[in-house]
Amino acid sequence: MFNYAFLIPIFPLAVFLLIVLFLNRNNRVSALTAVAGIFLSGVFAYGVLYEAIGKGGELAKHPFYQPLLGFLGLPTGKESFTVGVMIDPLAAIVLFMVTTVCLMIFIYSIGYMQHSHTDEHGHHHVTDDPRYARFFAYISLFAGAMLGLVISSNLIELFVFWEIMGLCSYLLIGFWSTKLPHEHHIDDAQTVRAKFAALKAFMTTRVGDSIFFVGILLLYITAGDLNFPAIFTEKSLHHLAEAQILGIPAVTVIALLILGGTVGKSSQFPLHVWLPDAMEGPTPVSALIHAATMVSAGVYLIARTFPLFITAAEIGGPAMTVVALIGAFTALFAATIGVAQDDIKRVLAFSTISQLGFMVAALGIGAYTAGAFHLITHAFFKALLFLSAGAVIHGVGTNDMMNMGGLRKKMPITATVFIIGAIALAGIPPLAGFWSKDEILAHAFELGFGEHPNPVALAVFVMLAIAAFFTAFYMTRQIFLTFFGAGRDHHVVEHAHESPVVMWAPLAVLAFFAATIGFMNASPLGIEFFGKFVGENVLGIAEHMEHTPFNPMVAGMSVGIAFVGIALGWLLYGMKPLEHGQRDPLMALGPIWKLLRNKYYLDEVYGLVIAQKEGPEGKTGTVDSVRIQAGVVIQFFGWLAQVCYAFDKAIVDGLVNLAGAIGRLLSAISGWIDKNVVDGLVNLTGFVTTELGDGLKLIQTGRVQAYLLLAITGAAIFVVYFMIR
């Protein structure tokens, strides 16, 4: 099956072309073709996983590498990059995750991208989104790019798919940036918010991507190759460790630049600001791109290039420390913001940022298995949570949890699966999040409090433990605000309804995985499949891949922390649910609540460049309530541009015009001299020559007698002359 792995991304990419070129006029055929495409990818991905499991640890030592057709290569002088496929245990398990999650999201989207409304006569109507077929074309393109990235055999190939995903993210975040007259959005201002959210995501991630690309260039210059099997050899890694860039080991510089790509794509501090705003896109997009797959690509990038980070750490470089601290800080930072948000999707967005921080921090402290394991488990329960939130929004028509409440009776299936996902995220055993999160905490605890305490690991453990508490708290808050108590907006809750089967069936499948997939690495039960399959080798390198055994004390601590968070959430929001018009209990924190509510005012700091301002009506207002204005930095550059323009117009243009005038005067003088002096002499010479010619031609008669007479006359003149002389 490995030989056919190249087909896995081709199916959805082909579907994209089919929809764009031929099928776009038929919504149903477009949707079913998209589902069929990702289903076929899943069949081959499952086959690849089956074969990979059969090979076991041997595949980790010797990954499968297959160069594809030569014409797909990229010539670069003496060398050329060959497009190829590389399969190792990590790629195989990620292929399984991506195709499974994508298939569920594609099926869910069939129902979600339909809008229902009741006309003035009380008749219920269900209509497709006006850009229904286009949506399935975009998500198929994204799925193809993500799958292509996973099986890439070199960094250039990976980067191409990486950028295609960035394009898809831009297109899908801004999917509702236009609106037809009969189209229904949450509010009129969504078109403006979606437009600028797409731009914000595109520009912010470009910062990280540019840094990443510089890292690729330096790696190629230093190592002379970008194919994974070539650059991760012992000889190549030794050369990267010995080479210097500006006095710093090349491997450290390159690893930090690659981290820049992860910070942008996986929304790590300080480039995390685009992800919460990206929730303006359709909810399947939030689940597909901004929870389960694309943002995970940054974590996958570090895992794929892990030998570089290991080498950088071995020579004492700070790359791993930076990775660990950025991840841990992001996990805590985003988790605290999540407790003060009212938008059901934005809470999950900050949760995603926080959980990605867990993964990055895990890789930073060397917990390769735990980081990769959390990458897989998180994809399932976070996709479940986003799609469940989408079902809620689909049923009630608003994102604001303060207008919800009591939905468990109206939407029992959605409420059930949402709670399963939330418990998994909170880390309650035996659900998936417990096993992976506990493994990260156990590894940090082992290093931080072990025989040789590592202060970085200690700091990571403390920050992640606090983040785990906030995670349990904000998920409990979200559950009680959304599903329990009485509806705080009766108009919203009265019209709430359970989703159609095409939407809740994928939720049920994802809930099953959210509950069970953690057992892949339940070491206290004697199951260590994931650790042995993925974590014993990375591209043939076994050093620093040791496992952290299950620690009952750490597990008890992590579960205890989660239960404390849940208990506090229940005390504030469950014991006595909020009623209509009642203030959020967290507002009692005063300035702390405002600080968290406003996301530490980082948007305002970034607003120094470009700011999005909301009018009095806020996010649920009209188009006019949202506007974009230049920040101080842009205003400064605008002023500087005006000064430069005035200088250019008054000074530079003046000097140029003066030079032109002088040039014209000199040209006129030169022209006069040329015309009246030079041309006069030339004309005079010509006139004299012409006149002489006219005179001499009179003697050119052609008669011999005349010529003889002239000769005799001439001779006579000479004779007379000499006689007289």
Side-chain angles (χ1 to χ4, degrees):
M1 188 58 78
F2 284 176
N3 290 325
Y4 300 102
F6 71 93
L7 290 173
I8 294 174
I10 286 181
F11 289 122
L13 292 176
V15 167
F16 165 74
L17 294 176
L18 282 174
I19 295 176
V20 169
L21 297 177
F22 306 109
L23 307 177
N24 58 80
R25 294 184 182 278
N26 191 317
N27 289 340
R28 206 59 58 219
V29 172
S30 297
L32 294 177
T33 304
V35 171
I38 195 66
F39 174 78
L40 287 173
S41 295
V43 170
F44 281 81
Y46 278 53
V48 166
L49 178 63
Y50 178 78
E51 185 171 343
I53 292 173
K55 291 182 179 296
E58 190 61 28
L59 182 63
K61 295 177 184 176
H62 305 288
F64 171 80
Y65 175 69
Q66 178 190 39
L68 297 180
L69 298 176
F71 69 87
L72 293 175
L74 175 65
T76 58
K78 294 181 180 179
E79 305 289 338
S80 69
F81 294 112
T82 303
V83 176
V85 171
M86 192 181 77
I87 302 292
D88 69 342
L90 178 65
I93 201 80
V94 173
L95 285 175
F96 155 75
M97 177 271 285
V98 172
T99 52
T100 305
V101 171
C102 283
L103 179 61
M104 295 303 109
I105 293 173
F106 277 38
I107 295 172
Y108 174 95
S109 300
I110 293 174
Y112 187 85
M113 295 307 290
Q114 292 180 322
H115 307 301
S116 61
H117 67 279
T118 305
D119 61 21
E120 61 274 15
H121 304 294
H123 298 142
H124 189 67
H125 300 277
V126 177
T127 56
D128 292 344
D129 187 279
R131 292 170 290 279
Y132 193 92
R134 184 187 301 180
F135 177 81
F136 281 94
Y138 286 169
I139 61 175
S140 295
L141 177 62
F142 168 80
M146 181 69 196
L147 293 168
L149 181 144
V150 173
I151 63 172
S152 293
S153 63
N154 64 65
L155 273 173
I156 282 292
E157 188 181 343
L158 184 148
F159 189 75
V160 169
F161 288 119
W162 179 280
E163 289 301 310
I164 294 174
M165 287 197 298
L167 170 66
C168 293
S169 176
Y170 168 76
L171 295 172
L172 288 165
I173 294 170
F175 191 76
W176 281 333
S177 60
T178 58
K179 180 182 177 183
L180 297 176
H182 60 281
E183 193 173 347
H184 173 72
H185 287 176
I186 290 177
D187 59 67
D188 291 339
Q190 188 176 37
T191 55
V192 182
R193 294 198 305 271
K195 174 184 175 183
F196 288 105
L199 287 172
K200 187 176 184 179
F202 190 79
M203 298 303 294
T204 307
T205 53
R206 292 288 75 70
V207 174
D209 293 359
S210 300
I211 297 171
F212 175 30
F213 190 64
V214 173
I216 293 175
L217 294 178
L218 289 179
L219 179 59
Y220 180 68
I221 292 170
T222 309
D225 208 325
L226 290 176
N227 287 300
F228 295 132
I231 59 178
F232 295 147
T233 61
E234 186 176 345
K235 179 181 177 183
S236 178
L237 291 172
H238 179 73
H239 173 67
L240 288 169
E242 293 290 327
Q244 300 280 312
I245 298 175
L246 299 176
I248 304 172
V251 69
T252 300
V253 176
I254 293 167
L256 289 173
L257 291 171
I258 289 175
L259 174 64
T262 297
V263 170
K265 193 69 85 182
S266 290
S267 194
Q268 296 295 285
F269 180 87
L271 298 181
H272 65 282
V273 292
W274 66 270
L275 186 57
D277 289 356
M279 297 302 111
E280 296 298 341
T283 298
V285 174
S286 305
L288 178 67
I289 296 182
H290 306 127
T293 49
M294 189 185 86
V295 291
S296 300
V299 180
Y300 182 80
L301 175 64
I302 294 183
R304 175 53 72 221
T305 57
F306 204 58
L308 292 176
F309 289 87
I310 292 176
T311 306
E314 285 178 340
I315 61 172
M320 292 283 273
T321 301
V322 174
V323 172
L325 293 179
I326 285 180
F329 178 76
T330 303
L332 177 59
F333 171 81
T336 57
I337 296 175
V339 304
Q341 305 302 311
D342 292 339
D343 186 313
I344 189 171
K345 285 174 64 178
R346 284 180 185 253
V347 174
L348 297 178
F350 283 107
S351 169
T352 297
I353 296 172
S354 178
Q355 297 304 307
L356 291 167
F358 270 80
M359 301 172 207
V360 172
L363 294 173
I365 58 174
Y368 179 84
T369 303
F373 189 31
H374 200 53
L375 173 73
I376 301 299
T377 61
H378 174 262
F380 285 100
F381 58 70
K382 189 50 66 65
L384 169 63
L385 287 168
F386 265 109
L387 294 184
S388 301
V392 171
I393 297 168
H394 197 263
V396 301
T398 179
N399 293 16
D400 193 346
M401 293 187 296
M402 289 301 171
N403 292 329
M404 301 179 190
L407 292 179
R408 75 182 190 285
K409 296 177 182 175
K410 295 272 187 174
M411 310 176 71
I413 299 174
T414 302
T416 302
V417 296
F418 190 94
I419 291 170
I420 292 173
I423 294 174
L425 174 60
I428 301 300
L431 277 73
F434 163 73
W435 301 106
S436 54
K437 194 179 293 184
D438 174 72
E439 196 164 331
I440 295 173
L441 291 172
H443 196 97
F445 183 87
E446 183 74 20
L447 294 179
F449 296 92
E451 188 176 349
H452 303 289
N454 181 330
V456 174
L458 177 62
V460 168
F461 176 80
V462 172
M463 286 190 277
L464 294 187
I466 299 173
F469 163 77
F470 283 114
T471 302
F473 174 76
Y474 64 64
M475 290 312 300
T476 307
R477 174 179 180 266
Q478 194 171 36
I479 288 172
F480 284 108
L481 285 178
T482 305
F483 297 107
F484 289 85
R488 286 176 291 282
D489 185 330
H490 294 293
H491 177 73
V492 167
V493 176
E494 281 177 5
H495 292 87
H497 55 83
E498 188 58 272
S499 302
V501 64
V502 73
M503 289 176 64
W504 67 253
L507 299 182
V509 174
L510 290 172
F512 169 77
F513 281 109
T516 61
I517 200 164
F519 289 105
M520 283 196 304
N521 212 42
S523 49
L525 304 178
I527 306 172
E528 296 181 343
F529 161 74
F530 191 88
K532 292 183 177 178
F533 180 54
V534 173
E536 292 194 340
N537 272 274
V538 51
L539 301 177
I541 296 175
E543 291 80 8
H544 305 281
M545 301 296 291
E546 61 273 8
H547 294 288
T548 300
F550 179 77
N551 187 328
M553 184 181 74
V554 177
M557 287 171 58
S558 69
V559 174
I561 289 170
F563 274 117
V564 170
I566 292 171
L568 182 60
W570 177 78
L571 282 172
L572 293 179
Y573 299 97
M575 189 168 67
K576 189 178 179 182
L578 292 188
E579 297 179 356
H580 175 69
Q582 189 175 352
R583 286 159 47 97
D584 189 327
L586 288 181
M587 293 179 72
L589 295 174
I592 297 176
W593 182 85
K594 290 187 70 174
L595 184 66
L596 300 179
R597 178 81 166 180
N598 290 289
K599 298 163 281 187
Y600 295 98
Y601 293 98
L602 270 182
D603 277 344
E604 282 70 18
V605 173
Y606 283 92
L608 294 175
V609 179
I610 185 168
Q612 178 173 316
K613 300 293 185 183
E614 294 172 3
E617 298 180 35
K619 293 183 179 299
T620 57
T622 62
V623 172
D624 294 337
S625 71
V626 179
R627 70 182 191 279
I628 298 298
Q629 69 179 35
V632 173
V633 175
I634 287 186
Q635 289 179 15
F636 169 75
F637 282 109
W639 171 82
L640 187 62
Q642 289 181 343
V643 171
C644 291
Y645 173 75
F647 179 80
D648 179 67
K649 192 172 181 62
I651 306 299
V652 178
D653 284 1
L655 291 174
V656 171
N657 292 337
L658 177 62
I662 294 173
R664 286 197 300 273
L665 176 62
L666 292 176
S667 296
I669 294 172
S670 174
W672 185 87
I673 293 174
D674 182 64
K675 183 176 182 180
N676 295 286
V677 178
V678 179
D679 286 359
L681 290 174
V682 172
N683 292 337
L684 178 62
T685 303
F687 174 77
V688 171
T689 304
T690 301
E691 292 302 320
L692 285 174
D694 289 343
L696 291 173
K697 74 180 181 182
L698 297 175
I699 61 176
Q700 299 297 320
T701 61
R703 296 177 180 176
V704 177
Q705 297 88 335
Y707 298 149
L708 183 60
L709 177 60
L710 286 174
I712 295 172
T713 303
I717 292 172
F718 276 109
V719 170
V720 171
Y721 172 74
F722 284 114
M723 289 179 64
I724 295 173
R725 186 179 178 188

